[in-house]
Amino acid sequence: MNDLYAHLDAQFDRHLDRVRAFVRIPSISGEGKGMAEMAELVRDSIRGLGGTADVVPTPGWPVVTGAIDAGKPKTLLLYGMYDVQPVEGEEWLAPPFNGDVVNLPDFGPSMVARGVYNTKGPLAGLFNVLESIQTVGGRLPVNLKFVIEGEEELSSPNLPGFIASHRDRLGADATYFPFYCQDRHGKPVMWLGVKGIQYFEVACRGGTWGGPRTRGVHGSNAVWIGSPAWRLARVLATMMDDREGITIEGFTDDVLSPSAEDEELLQRLARTFDSATQLWMWDAERFKYDLQGADLLRRYLYTPTLNIDGIWGGYTGPGMKTLLPHEVRAKMDVRMVPNMEPERVRERIRAHLRRVGRDDLEVHFYEGYPPAKTSVREPVVQALIKTFRDLGHEPEIWPHLAGSAPFYLFRRVLDQPFAMGGLGHGGRPHSPNEYATIAGMRLFEQSVARFLFAFAEG
Amino acid sequence: MNDLYAHLDAQFDRHLDRVRAFVRIPSISGEGKGMAEMAELVRDSIRGLGGTADVVPTPGWPVVTGAIDAGKPKTLLLYGMYDVQPVEGEEWLAPPFNGDVVNLPDFGPSMVARGVYNTKGPLAGLFNVLESIQTVGGRLPVNLKFVIEGEEELSSPNLPGFIASHRDRLGADATYFPFYCQDRHGKPVMWLGVKGIQYFEVACRGGTWGGPRTRGVHGSNAVWIGSPAWRLARVLATMMDDREGITIEGFTDDVLSPSAEDEELLQRLARTFDSATQLWMWDAERFKYDLQGADLLRRYLYTPTLNIDGIWGGYTGPGMKTLLPHEVRAKMDVRMVPNMEPERVRERIRAHLRRVGRDDLEVHFYEGYPPAKTSVREPVVQALIKTFRDLGHEPEIWPHLAGSAPFYLFRRVLDQPFAMGGLGHGGRPHSPNEYATIAGMRLFEQSVARFLFAFAEG
């Protein structure tokens, strides 16, 4: 390992260049820029390691898939994504697609770029590690397979189809998703699962119920013509109470209490959980609940969420314009906790609109997926825990993450346990000034190298 | 009169050019373009008639004021505006600031332009008429004073100050506001007053109550960090019930029932009121209320309105982005019916936010003004009614209009009765494809000419 670490260290400037090359391609899946170029760069990175690799078309953005046969007994499936979130309307310290290193007050030298944390930095870092292992030792310790999608930020609408049709070629002992998982104090945080997500868009416009049908009209008509804006505000208000508890009938019926294993993890987690850092990360003065420790964490991890991601309609320019808008829209998402299924969530939202007499609202559901979890006892998880301990860090283990990724495909469809993480620190995903520290990128490479050997030996 | 009509007719092409010159200047008061140029054009139009005229600065856009002394016993104060509404985000059949004549399916040849109806067409037409009267007869039948403001579409924030400081010079027997008032079937509609308006903007953002304070954060945090979007939706829902009845305490306390004169007008109005045309104009299938005739009209004219003009916040771009927005805003307005006052409306909105525990919301009130009314028995109103009848049209008389204009300044501060209207037809104020028919513009000029003589003789 020491030769390998020395090599990673010696090559680090070149390795940073690879990260920079990745973030410079503005592969925003929601907009379409740079997607083909980015897919080809990922494919060529796998081929550069002597693997087979293809850019496989889907009805949306392609999946890059491939394999490196090292002739070893164990096989790891590497999952990742090459797409990033939009930057529209955001103000950045540095251009979001340049890879500038900025000396951030709290973190020191850091790359500031869209995707450097979520997740092109870790993806490029993984290729750096594999290249160094081959250079120093000739052979990788495990066989690898790759599934690198281009629609994670769109909630992976075509990954299920891809996994189903390539199932036979994706067999492996476990799935691994590389990620920077140290918090700002250096503590590695491990998540043993993810919540599911159902994104949707609601449009309220004039129609048979009333309201202007095709254009906004003079605001004075609001006295006798119905308002889609009020209609949407009122129907939203029927879905949530003043404490932000969801009031859609049956919405939480499927939610299970934490399992015994999860409850044990929660109790242990509560000892190291740093609520001040969480509030700082999310720029808030307080949580929604007057809860602490395990009680707050239980709520955080086992409560589904109904979020308004955006809302818009009518006149939003400068100054005054009196207008009765004909259409108002909201983008929303549900985060599903264990045992919830997207189909039932969709049914309950539709049933709620019928119940309150508002099924004239148009609801467009994006592809949704359920949550997924792996046991802490799985060898792939134990290999990652061992890696952190070997490198001098005691990980903080979370039963799962509040965020979402389509791990159910690996867990449920391919029947593989999974692990995610690695040393390294970054932040502000989906926000301006997304960053990853330079020091963390070095640690990430060491941790991934060690993990691959630990998994091979485990 | 016949010589005068013949002259108006002979000069009509030139007269249309003046309308076109007016609409070609994009004087959007909310944005600032072309405002100085437009004010000067109005000033020069008055001077061109031998009057005195000045562009008088205010803290906002200037007021054009002036006078033409015809040495006659009666004086009419002409009120108007040289500003128009924005066109941002709208799709038009013709460029909105060009004055193209388009053959509209329902109306025949019509000028399609922002402001051609509301209200540069009538303003330019007025100057055309005055010029023709002078050319044909030498002298105007009444002395004129002018108050042409540039902030009507901003709810006239600086007109009160202007009227107060120029009060001594604005004495007149009545105020007149020229306007195309025929509906699509040719019926002239007269309004004896206006509702008041109070425009305001509400911002809900993260703060001591919770929520992200300065930037949107990853949407998965909605499970434990408060949401300004839900907070705004919920507080809006406390202001309005499902029938769009305002639920702000005391909001309608000051509202009076129609006076005996108004009730008589209402009953007469109900006989000619054409609800199908109203629905067609405002692009709706039905009214908010299951009411007809005088009952619907009473509700329309004597009920205050709380309207959402626009709402926006969070991610509103293409595709998906999960975000917990830190700020959501709404533009809103209240239309006040007789006996309501802006100050009390503001107080009640503030009190409501305190009552529901949401006075952390930032509310910015624009300048508001109360409603205003004139009796049908006033000579200026009778002169206009006589004009329509002389030209073969029985007017439909409304106690007031649901829209707003700062006529209280003329009625209450200057103590003048007022009238508004004229033949001519246009539509879609504040909307794309605002238009006025060419045939109507001809009729408008005849009616204004006749009205000036009728008022002088009355």
Side-chain angles (χ1 to χ4, degrees):
Chain A
M1 286 307 292
N2 285 340
D3 286 354
L4 180 53
Y5 291 166
H7 189 266
L8 290 172
D9 210 49
Q11 296 296 314
F12 191 66
D13 283 346
R14 273 192 54 236
H15 286 184
L16 264 188
D17 287 342
R18 190 194 304 245
V19 175
R20 200 170 280 119
F22 273 45
V23 298
R24 281 192 174 169
I25 302 176
S27 51
I28 301 167
S29 46
E31 299 173 1
K33 281 181 278 188
M35 293 300 290
E37 190 188 348
M38 190 68 217
E40 285 160 16
L41 178 56
V42 172
R43 178 198 62 194
D44 295 344
S45 301
I46 301 170
R47 287 184 181 168
L49 297 164
T52 58
D54 291 293
V55 173
V56 179
T58 77
W61 302 117
V63 174
V64 182
T65 190
I68 303 174
D69 184 355
K72 294 296 166 86
K74 280 195 164 180
T75 301
L76 196 61
L77 175 59
L78 295 165
Y79 165 72
M81 65 207 67
Y82 64 86
D83 66 324
V84 299
Q85 286 275 339
V87 295
E88 189 208 80
E90 296 181 347
E91 286 184 22
W92 285 68
L93 289 171
F97 298 107
N98 205 41
D100 288 2
V101 174
V102 176
N103 198 356
L104 295 178
D106 291 316
F107 310 109
S110 301
M111 195 177 287
V112 169
R114 169 59 81 231
V116 69
Y117 170 56
N118 175 21
T119 55
K120 287 175 171 179
L123 182 61
L126 169 75
F127 289 123
N128 290 333
V129 170
L130 298 176
E131 188 184 80
S132 284
I133 293 175
Q134 288 182 333
T135 306
V136 174
R139 268 219 200 161
L140 299 176
V142 291
N143 310 314
L144 296 178
K145 294 185 177 179
F146 293 85
V147 173
I148 314 294
E149 66 160 320
E151 300 186 320
E152 199 277 340
E153 303 295 1
L154 303 178
S155 141
S156 309
N158 294 295
L159 195 60
F162 173 85
I163 296 285
S165 60
H166 289 71
R167 199 168 166 169
D168 294 344
R169 282 178 264 171
L170 298 174
D173 296 289
T175 307
Y176 172 61
F177 173 42
F179 203 77
Y180 303 142
C181 77
Q182 285 179 281
D183 73 7
R184 63 169 174 165
H185 302 301
K187 180 176 65 187
V189 178
M190 282 181 70
W191 300 286
L192 303 182
V194 289
K195 292 189 184 178
I197 188 166
Q198 177 61 63
Y199 202 87
F200 60 106
E201 198 166 318
V202 179
C204 182
R205 60 172 74 96
T208 53
W209 64 272
R213 291 165 299 186
T214 62
R215 58 183 168 87
V217 300
H218 194 283
S220 64
N221 291 290
V223 68
W224 64 355
I225 305 288
S227 161
W230 277 117
R231 195 171 176 87
L232 182 64
R234 297 272 319 157
V235 79
L236 287 176
T238 66
M239 296 179 170
M240 196 62 101
D241 66 25
D242 267 337
R243 310 273 305 175
E244 288 191 43
I246 300 166
T247 51
I248 293 174
E249 199 174 293
F251 205 79
T252 56
D253 281 2
D254 302 328
V255 175
L256 296 180
S257 299
S259 65
E261 180 182 310
D262 277 7
E263 187 60 40
E264 195 185 316
L265 287 169
L266 266 187
Q267 296 297 338
R268 198 179 308 158
L269 174 59
R271 288 179 222 139
T272 57
F273 168 66
D274 174 2
S275 64
T277 291
Q278 290 290 334
L279 286 172
W280 170 87
M281 281 171 72
W282 314 118
D283 190 28
E285 287 189 35
R286 61 176 70 245
F287 294 105
K288 279 205 294 204
Y289 314 106
D290 288 329
L291 297 174
Q292 295 186 331
D295 293 331
L296 176 62
L297 288 165
R298 205 178 294 108
R299 192 75 71 103
Y300 175 60
L301 294 174
Y302 299 90
T303 310
T305 313
L306 179 63
N307 179 44
I308 300 175
D309 301 280
I311 186 167
W312 73 104
Y315 181 68
T316 61
M320 279 183 57
K321 176 171 182 170
T322 67
L323 186 77
L324 173 56
H326 69 295
E327 181 179 77
V328 177
R329 304 179 77 94
K331 285 179 187 258
M332 304 179 69
D333 74 277
V334 170
R335 300 273 174 174
M336 283 164 277
V337 298
N339 206 43
M340 290 177 77
E341 292 291 330
E343 197 182 336
R344 303 197 65 177
V345 164
R346 294 193 292 265
E347 270 166 24
R348 281 172 176 138
I349 290 170
R350 285 197 203 96
H352 179 83
L353 292 176
R354 278 195 303 273
R355 195 172 304 118
V356 299
R358 293 293 181 268
D359 45 348
D360 57 276
L361 268 70
E362 279 175 33
V363 183
H364 168 68
F365 289 105
Y366 288 65
E367 183 75 25
Y369 52 77
K373 289 175 67 73
T374 282
S375 167
V376 69
R377 292 183 298 270
E378 289 289 346
V380 68
V381 175
Q382 289 296 322
L384 195 55
I385 293 172
K386 182 175 187 305
T387 296
F388 294 142
R389 286 180 180 155
D390 287 350
L391 290 169
H393 296 274
E394 182 59 31
E396 181 178 82
I397 301 171
W398 292 61
H400 51 268
L401 171 67
S404 307
F407 291 150
Y408 81 102
L409 292 169
F410 306 102
R411 189 76 204 86
R412 197 189 288 195
V413 181
L414 298 180
D415 196 22
Q416 297 174 17
F418 63 86
M420 54 179 150
L423 294 181
H425 173 72
R428 302 190 195 124
H430 300 205
S431 291
N433 300 317
E434 181 175 345
Y435 70 95
T437 67
I438 302 301
M441 290 184 183
R442 276 182 197 268
L443 290 174
F444 173 79
E445 295 193 355
Q446 291 176 17
S447 67
V448 170
R450 194 156 198 114
F451 164 69
L452 293 174
F453 284 96
F455 178 68
E457 292 154 15
Chain B
M1 287 308 292
N2 287 340
D3 287 356
L4 181 53
Y5 290 166
H7 190 266
L8 290 172
D9 211 49
Q11 296 297 313
F12 190 67
D13 283 348
R14 273 191 52 235
H15 286 184
L16 265 189
D17 286 343
R18 191 196 301 249
V19 175
R20 200 170 279 117
F22 273 46
V23 299
R24 280 191 175 170
I25 302 175
S27 51
I28 301 167
S29 46
E31 299 174 1
K33 281 181 280 189
M35 292 300 290
E37 190 188 348
M38 190 68 217
E40 284 161 17
L41 178 56
V42 173
R43 178 198 62 193
D44 295 345
S45 302
I46 301 170
R47 287 183 182 168
L49 297 164
T52 57
D54 291 293
V55 174
V56 179
T58 76
W61 301 116
V63 174
V64 182
T65 190
I68 302 174
D69 185 353
K72 295 294 165 89
K74 280 194 163 180
T75 301
L76 197 60
L77 175 60
L78 296 165
Y79 165 72
M81 65 207 67
Y82 65 86
D83 67 323
V84 299
Q85 285 275 339
V87 295
E88 188 208 79
E90 296 180 348
E91 285 184 23
W92 285 67
L93 288 171
F97 298 108
N98 205 40
D100 288 2
V101 174
V102 176
N103 198 358
L104 295 178
D106 291 316
F107 310 109
S110 302
M111 194 177 286
V112 170
R114 169 60 80 231
V116 69
Y117 170 55
N118 174 19
T119 56
K120 287 175 172 179
L123 182 61
L126 170 74
F127 288 124
N128 289 333
V129 170
L130 298 176
E131 188 183 80
S132 283
I133 294 176
Q134 289 183 334
T135 306
V136 174
R139 268 218 200 161
L140 300 176
V142 290
N143 309 313
L144 296 177
K145 294 184 177 178
F146 294 84
V147 173
I148 314 296
E149 65 159 320
E151 299 186 320
E152 199 277 340
E153 302 296 0
L154 303 178
S155 144
S156 308
N158 294 295
L159 195 61
F162 173 84
I163 296 285
S165 60
H166 289 71
R167 199 169 165 169
D168 294 343
R169 282 179 264 172
L170 297 175
D173 296 289
T175 307
Y176 172 61
F177 172 44
F179 203 76
Y180 303 141
C181 78
Q182 286 179 282
D183 72 9
R184 63 170 174 164
H185 302 301
K187 180 176 65 186
V189 179
M190 284 181 67
W191 300 286
L192 304 182
V194 288
K195 292 189 184 178
I197 188 167
Q198 177 62 62
Y199 202 88
F200 60 105
E201 197 166 321
V202 179
C204 183
R205 59 171 74 95
T208 52
W209 64 272
R213 291 166 299 187
T214 62
R215 59 183 169 86
V217 299
H218 193 284
S220 64
N221 291 289
V223 67
W224 64 355
I225 305 288
S227 161
W230 277 117
R231 195 171 176 86
L232 182 64
R234 297 274 318 157
V235 79
L236 287 175
T238 65
M239 296 179 171
M240 197 61 102
D241 66 27
D242 268 338
R243 311 272 306 176
E244 288 192 44
I246 300 166
T247 50
I248 293 174
E249 198 174 293
F251 205 77
T252 57
D253 282 2
D254 301 329
V255 175
L256 295 182
S257 299
S259 66
E261 180 182 311
D262 277 8
E263 188 60 41
E264 195 186 316
L265 287 169
L266 267 187
Q267 296 297 338
R268 198 177 310 158
L269 173 59
R271 287 178 224 142
T272 57
F273 168 66
D274 174 1
S275 63
T277 291
Q278 289 291 334
L279 286 173
W280 172 85
M281 282 171 71
W282 313 118
D283 190 28
E285 287 190 35
R286 61 176 68 248
F287 294 105
K288 279 203 297 205
Y289 315 105
D290 288 329
L291 297 174
Q292 295 187 330
D295 293 332
L296 176 61
L297 289 165
R298 204 177 294 109
R299 193 76 70 102
Y300 175 58
L301 294 174
Y302 299 90
T303 310
T305 314
L306 179 63
N307 180 43
I308 299 175
D309 301 280
I311 186 167
W312 73 103
Y315 181 68
T316 61
M320 280 183 55
K321 177 172 181 169
T322 67
L323 187 76
L324 173 57
H326 70 294
E327 181 180 78
V328 178
R329 304 179 76 94
K331 286 179 187 259
M332 304 180 71
D333 74 277
V334 171
R335 301 273 174 174
M336 283 165 276
V337 297
N339 207 42
M340 289 178 77
E341 293 290 330
E343 195 181 338
R344 302 197 65 176
V345 165
R346 294 192 293 266
E347 269 166 25
R348 282 173 176 136
I349 291 169
R350 285 197 202 95
H352 179 83
L353 292 176
R354 278 195 303 274
R355 195 172 305 117
V356 299
R358 293 294 180 268
D359 45 347
D360 58 276
L361 268 70
E362 280 175 31
V363 183
H364 168 67
F365 289 105
Y366 288 65
E367 183 75 25
Y369 54 75
K373 288 174 70 71
T374 282
S375 168
V376 70
R377 292 183 299 269
E378 289 289 346
V380 69
V381 175
Q382 289 297 323
L384 195 55
I385 293 172
K386 181 175 187 306
T387 296
F388 294 142
R389 287 181 180 155
D390 288 350
L391 290 169
H393 296 274
E394 182 58 33
E396 182 179 82
I397 301 171
W398 293 61
H400 52 268
L401 171 69
S404 307
F407 290 150
Y408 82 101
L409 293 170
F410 306 104
R411 189 75 204 88
R412 196 189 287 196
V413 181
L414 298 181
D415 196 22
Q416 297 173 16
F418 63 86
M420 54 179 150
L423 294 181
H425 173 72
R428 302 190 195 125
H430 299 205
S431 289
N433 300 318
E434 181 175 345
Y435 71 95
T437 67
I438 303 301
M441 288 184 183
R442 276 182 198 269
L443 291 174
F444 174 78
E445 295 193 355
Q446 292 175 16
S447 68
V448 170
R450 193 154 198 116
F451 165 69
L452 293 175
F453 285 97
F455 178 67
E457 292 154 15

